[in-house]
């Protein structure tokens, strides 16, 4: 991966303030009691899939992901997405830095080729995983397990929104060799 012709600098304070304001103003981030997919109750909800309707905001976030990749000098062969919310982010980042991407399903398709993985993944590939939101970390752990079962390595996880509810720690407990980089941590 060579991201030298992409984003070189991001003013993290300005970018964070801009993204936070946009998420709130566009009602992507909402202050309301919500039941999460993990079964937990939360005083807020953030549906990052809605960013697809806002190209400028989407570009800022994908550029921020690229900045994090460069900042932490992550070396990888492919980018993968945790099903399903992070698929567009991973695909666009991979395209911007000219790296192959793969999509991993929750379960194999029931028709056609019945694939679990879309795209090419090889034994010993180094994979960077992108996740939109981490709460418990369960979906990241499941995706890492699927990638490892295919004989590839996960070399890092970049999370757009970390709910700071123990998910990153849970991932570290299961996979202490895989660093997790959070772009926007949100306190409970």
């Amino acid at each position: 991966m060579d991201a030298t012709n992409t984003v070189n600098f991001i003013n993290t304070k300005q970018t964070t303030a801009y993204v936070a304001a946009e998420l709130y103003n566009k009602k992507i981030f909402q202050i309301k009691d919500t039941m999460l997919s993990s079964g937990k109750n939360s005083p807020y909800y953030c549906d990052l899939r809605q960013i697809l309707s806002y190209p400028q905001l989407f570009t800022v976030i994908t550029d921020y992901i690229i900045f994090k990749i460069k900042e932490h000098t992550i070396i990888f062969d492919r980018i993968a997405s945790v099903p399903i919310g992070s698929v567009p982010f991973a695909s666009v980042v991979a395209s911007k830095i000219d790296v192959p991407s793969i999509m991993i399903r929750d379960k194999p398709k029931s028709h056609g080729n019945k694939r679990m993985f879309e795209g090419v993944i090889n034994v010993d590939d180094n994979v960077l995983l992108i996740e939109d939101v981490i709460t418990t970390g369960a979906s990241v752990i499941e995706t890492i397990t699927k990638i490892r079962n295919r004989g590839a390595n996960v070399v890092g996880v970049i999370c757009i929104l970390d709910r700071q509810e123990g998910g990153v720690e849970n991932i570290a407990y299961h996979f202490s060799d895989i660093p997790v980089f959070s772009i926007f941590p949100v306190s409970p």
Side-chain angles (χ1 to χ4, degrees):
M1 188 279 313
D2 180 12
T4 55
N5 295 324
T6 59
V7 179
N8 290 313
F9 175 77
I10 286 188
N11 181 320
T12 55
K13 286 184 181 180
Q14 284 181 347
T15 302
T16 300
Y18 167 79
V19 169
E22 289 294 293
L23 292 177
Y24 185 78
N25 291 336
K26 294 180 181 346
K27 298 185 178 6
I28 295 167
F29 184 95
Q30 298 178 28
I31 307 297
K32 66 177 190 175
D33 288 330
T34 305
M35 173 73 72
L36 304 174
S37 62
S38 65
K40 290 183 161 191
N41 286 317
S42 175
Y44 67 90
Y45 183 67
C46 189
D47 185 359
L48 293 180
R49 294 170 295 215
Q50 298 305 309
I51 292 173
L52 293 172
S53 296
Y54 304 99
Q56 183 176 355
L57 181 57
F58 186 81
T59 297
V60 168
I61 290 175
T62 55
D63 286 350
Y64 207 142
I65 293 169
I66 294 167
F67 173 75
K68 280 290 186 185
I69 292 168
K70 292 176 70 173
E71 178 183 47
H72 296 288
T73 323
I74 306 169
I75 307 300
F76 54 94
D77 305 306
R78 303 188 186 292
I79 291 179
S81 51
V82 176
I84 188 168
S86 64
V87 171
F89 298 100
S91 298
V92 169
V93 167
S95 179
K96 283 184 175 186
I97 61 175
D98 196 26
V99 171
S101 66
I102 55 173
M103 183 181 80
I104 303 155
R105 297 179 181 278
D106 286 329
K107 57 186 177 186
K109 285 173 45 177
S110 60
H111 58 283
N113 290 327
K114 301 181 180 183
R115 291 188 185 120
M116 173 73 72
F117 289 77
E118 298 294 345
V120 176
I121 185 168
N122 301 305
V123 172
D124 292 330
D125 274 348
N126 291 319
V127 178
L128 172 64
L129 195 56
I130 295 181
E131 171 65 306
D132 60 342
V133 179
I134 290 179
T135 304
T136 65
S139 57
V140 171
I141 292 166
E142 184 179 324
T143 304
I144 291 170
T145 301
K146 289 174 185 175
I147 292 169
R148 285 189 167 181
N149 287 344
R150 285 291 292 260
N153 311 301
V154 176
V155 296
V157 177
I158 294 182
C159 166
I160 298 169
L161 188 132
D162 174 7
R163 296 179 67 92
Q164 294 189 317
E165 295 184 23
V168 171
E169 294 79 6
N170 191 24
I171 295 164
Y173 174 79
H174 286 50
F175 302 105
S176 61
D177 59 324
I178 300 174
V180 178
F181 306 102
S182 301
I183 296 177
F184 303 112
V186 178
S187 298

